[in-house]
Structure formats: C-alpha cells, structure tokens
Amino acid sequence: MLPECQPQPEPECRVLSIQSHVVRGFVGNKSAAFPLQVLGFEVDLVNSVQFSNHTGYTRDTSFLDKVMEIIQELRRQNPKLVYVCDPVMGDKRNGDGYMYVPENLLPVYKGKVVPLADIITPNQYEAEILAGKKMNTEKEAIEVMDVLHAMGPDTVVITSSDLPSALGDNYLVTLGSQRKVIAGGLRVTERIRMEIPKVDAVFVGTGDLFAAMLLAWTHQHPNNLKIACEKTVSALQHIVTRTISNAKALAGVGKKPSAAQLELRVVQSKEQIENPEIIIHATTI
Amino acid sequence: MLPECQPQPEPECRVLSIQSHVVRGFVGNKSAAFPLQVLGFEVDLVNSVQFSNHTGYEHWKGQTMTAGELQTLYEGLKLNDVTRYDYVLTGYTRDTSFLDKVMEIIQELRRQNPKLVYVCDPVMGDKRNGDGYMYVPENLLPVYKGKVVPLADIITPNQYEAEILAGKKMNTEKEAIEVMDVLHAMGPDTVVITSSDLPSALGDNYLVTLGSQRKVIAGGLRVTERIRMEIPKVDAVFVGTGDLFAAMLLAWTHQHPNNLKIACEKTVSALQHIVTRTISNAKALAGVGKKPSAAQLELRVVQSKEQIENPEIIIHATTI
C-alpha cells in the first residue's frame, strides 16, 4: 500500500517575548505582540508584571538572571535561536544621562545579557554605559558599536542619539551596525545612519515597538540592515505622527496632551505595520 | 480672533476583556485580543490568570489573580480616569469572589457609560455523548443566574449552559426558542447558542447554532430576530474556539447591531476557516494516522488574519 501523500505543515516562526503587560496602553508585551502577530509570527507572551497602565520602571536582577538561564536552555534546544534584547536602563534628558532601573542591573547587562544577545537596541546613553565610552561624533559612535559587537551581538542599533544632524536641531540620529559573513567567507560590517524628525512629546513604548518590529524586519531581511531599519523606523514614525496628531485633537487647542492621550495608536496603524511606506531613508556610512 | 479649526480625534471603540492569559496558545485573552485588534478595537486586557498553556495539555503551571488584585488594577485605571469603555468581555472564570468583583466593576463602568455593552460567555460546562457536566465549581451557577446573566447584553452559552441557566431542556428547535426567550427575560437582548445537538437536516455530522436578538425597530415595534446555522463538525477537540467566537461576535454585532444574521455568518465563517486550517495543519504535524496533540491543535489564529478581517461567508444562516 502506497503511503498517503502527506501535506506539509505551515512553516512557522515562534517568538518568546518576556516583557511587562499593561491593561491599558502600549508598552512591553502589549506593544510587541500585535505588530509581531500581524506580521505573521507566533508570539508566546510571558508577562513579567501586570500593571493597570505604564508607570516608572521596575526590574530586578534575579528576574533578569532567570531569563538568561532560560535563554541558555532554549538555545541548547535550538542553537539558531535569535535573542533580541532591548537593554533598557536609562536615557538622556537635556544632555545628562540617568538610570531609571536599579544600578546593579548594569553589571548583569554587561556581563550576562549583552554577551548572550544577537541583536541589541540601546539608546545612546545605554550604548555608552555598556561600552564604557562616550560618543560625540559619528566616528566615536562607530567605535562604541564595535565595542558592543565585541561583547556579543552581531547587530547593534542605537535607536536615538543626540549626534549633530546635517538636517538641523530638530532631528535625532539613529545608527546601526551589522556584522556578517558574505559570499566567499568575507567578514564585513554594514553600517547605516538615519536622521529622524523629533516629535515634541514624551512617548512611552516606542522602544518596545521598535525592538519588536526590528525583530520582524531583520527576520525578513537578515542581511540588509538598511532595509530592515528603514521599515522599522518608518513604521514607528507613522505611528508616532498619528499618535501626536490624535493626542492634540483629544487635548484641545493649546493644551498639553496627557499620558492617556499619548498612548501609541498601534491598532489603528495596522496597515503601516504590515507594509510600512518608507518615509525615512538610511544612508550607508 | 477666529478659533483655530480643530481637528477631530479618531473615533475609537474600547473593550475591557477580563480573561485568562496563556504564554503559549490561543485561549482566553490570547484568543480574543488579536482578532479584536485586527478589527480595529482598542483592547484593554486584564489577565485573570497567567498559565504556561491551557489545561487541555498534560501539564500546566502558572499564577492566578485574586479578586483583591483585580480591584488593585481597576483602582489604577480609575485613578488615571481611564475607565470609559464601550464593551466588556468575560469568559472562563472558576472563582465566585472573582466573578462577583468583575460584576461590581461592570456596574461601576456602566454608571460611567450607560451604553456599555457586556458580552458574556457563561462558561460552565458542556455535553459529551449526550451527558452534560460542569467543569467549573457548581457554586458558580447561582452567580451566573442571579448576577452575571442579568447584567449581560450578549451571551454565548453552549446548549448545556443555556439549559442550566434557563432551567429547561431543549430537544427541538421550538424548545430551543423557548430556552432563548427565558434567557432574554433574564436580561440579554442577544443570545447565541454556539453549539447544540439538535437534529440537523444535513445529517449527523452537523451541529446546530441558534441565535436570537430582541430589538426595537422603526415605529417602536419590538421584534425578535431568530436565526439557525448548520455547521460541519470537525473530528477533534479544540480549545479556545468559544473565546474566539465571543470576541468575533462582539466585533460583528458592533458592525451590524441590528442584523444578527450577518453578524453570526461572519463570526461562524471566520471560526470555521480557522478551525479547518488548524486541523489540516495539525494532521500534517502529527503525521499519517496519528492523533494530533493539544500543542499541535492550537488554533492558527495569527495565520488566519485575513479571514478574521474579512470573513468569506461559507456558512449561511436561515431566519427561523
């Protein structure tokens, strides 16, 4: 008897996302899940906390240690597992950096987390404290990214920096660097830069959204950091623009929008997430 | 000075969904969130539990939320003045104090928005080989009858749940209509009996879904729209289909508030697409002649996004 012709199961790409959950709004897993799911990923969600809405940051080293232990076990089961890590520790305000997680997380990130990561998305402050050096010019930024590569990850994206932009003061600069092996066994580093119009508001959750979409687009374009970043940044810019526009309409003329009004319009931006219109281009540096 | 022309904020429809969360798979909030979000709803999610996976697997582990913890989350929302909801959605609950707390919250939310619509899947039990059995503690039944169903606008019981809520059996379509009328009298204007073993003209391998919606039409006339659908059975045990059904029914009755026929056709058709895709994939994963496991039978929700957004009607309802 001939074997029955066996249909193939659908291919699938499964993400384990370990982040905060908020009842209302878009940070952490709430920010990551929807974009990844609309882009076709199976997403398993471990909610590290459940809060009513976003607040300040709470993270502890024992939880982070446990996550690293789990990642190492998962990697034994699938050596090709890709760990995308947003090393959230702090930010700059008016030029001064400050940590908004306990300081004892920094050695854990430097010693355990970043070495395990394949892709990291620090902001300038986080990149500087991880690498142990400042970046005031593009050349110094490249040096910082190279230090970070040496710690582990082949892909480093500095999501925002206050490097001077040729387009003016109201632009922030995003930088990316990806080490890869190309045809013939040659090791190269692709480096890109993007100038992004600043928006006059404080958004929460944009970093989480960025990391999730970067995961999706680097999966789609594993050897083209330029395209992956253009799609990620453009999608985020669409969402942010839509959000601020709606927030201002909610707040009314001349009034500053509240945190509730500034919640990212993620669901409404589904089509931009699925197929981002490139509105910001990257230059290769 | 003329006032600046003020752009309007985008209209929005916000759902508060209080259900289980599983890390892996599609039940409870995991089942409800994605469809509602792809259909454009803002979805606020209170995860009543966080488990590794649903309890149909051999193992499950996780944490459960208490009524006190629910109150804390709710207080957080209240303090920020963000408790204006258009819909509330609830499903599987095992704890009467938690259920009581949810009802308390719904009543408060309704004081804030009297037009709030409460969609309730009164999950209590099911039938297997003709016999009904409860899979929640029995003391939940009086809470559902006395508090929950009276507050609900839309309920989605299966046949067993409809019978124990109404206190009468339904062996014929006529009796089913009587049961649905008893349920209407308890509160909800929309009742959908998601599955029943009423005899189908199409044969034994069809289950029957029934729906009933009371409404007031032009001229103030009160009418009841009743529909029936024959659905091909699928030879597998799925978990989460009820949660998916309730979420999509919320979306389609919102879109078609006075047309239960279309709302049910879209909901049932989308679900049928998902189930068919799931069993097909599960069989491919399990291999020839092998029974798919719980893990392999997880609903292919993400993969069915387009069917969720715009369901191709493959099962039609008849008006009865």
Side-chain angles (χ1 to χ4, degrees), chain A residues 10 47 50 246 270 274, chain B residues 10 47 50 281 305 309:
Chain A
E10 290 176 329
N47 297 322
Q50 179 167 217
N246 196 61
K270 179 183 67 173
E274 287 169 334
Chain B
E10 289 177 333
N47 298 324
Q50 178 167 224
N281 196 60
K305 180 184 66 173
E309 288 169 333

Side-chain angles (χ1 to χ4, degrees), chain A residues 6-7 9-10 12 21 23 30 38 42-45 47 50 53 242 246 249 253 265 268 270 274, chain B residues 6-7 9-10 12 21 23 30 38 42 44-45 47 50 65 80 277 281 284 288 300 303 305 309:
Chain A
Q6 183 62 1
E10 290 176 329
E12 112 182 350
H21 170 77
V23 172
K30 206 84 175 308
V38 294
E42 278 282 1
V43 188
D44 288 6
L45 301 163
N47 297 322
Q50 179 167 217
N53 41 264
R242 183 188 209 115
N246 196 61
V253 177
R265 307 292 284 166
Q268 297 74 7
K270 179 183 67 173
E274 287 169 334
Chain B
Q6 184 61 0
E10 289 177 333
E12 114 185 347
H21 170 78
V23 171
K30 203 86 175 307
V38 295
E42 278 281 3
D44 288 6
L45 300 163
N47 298 324
Q50 178 167 224
M65 182 185 287
N80 289 310
R277 183 187 209 118
N281 196 60
V288 178
R300 308 291 283 168
Q303 297 76 7
K305 180 184 66 173
E309 288 169 333

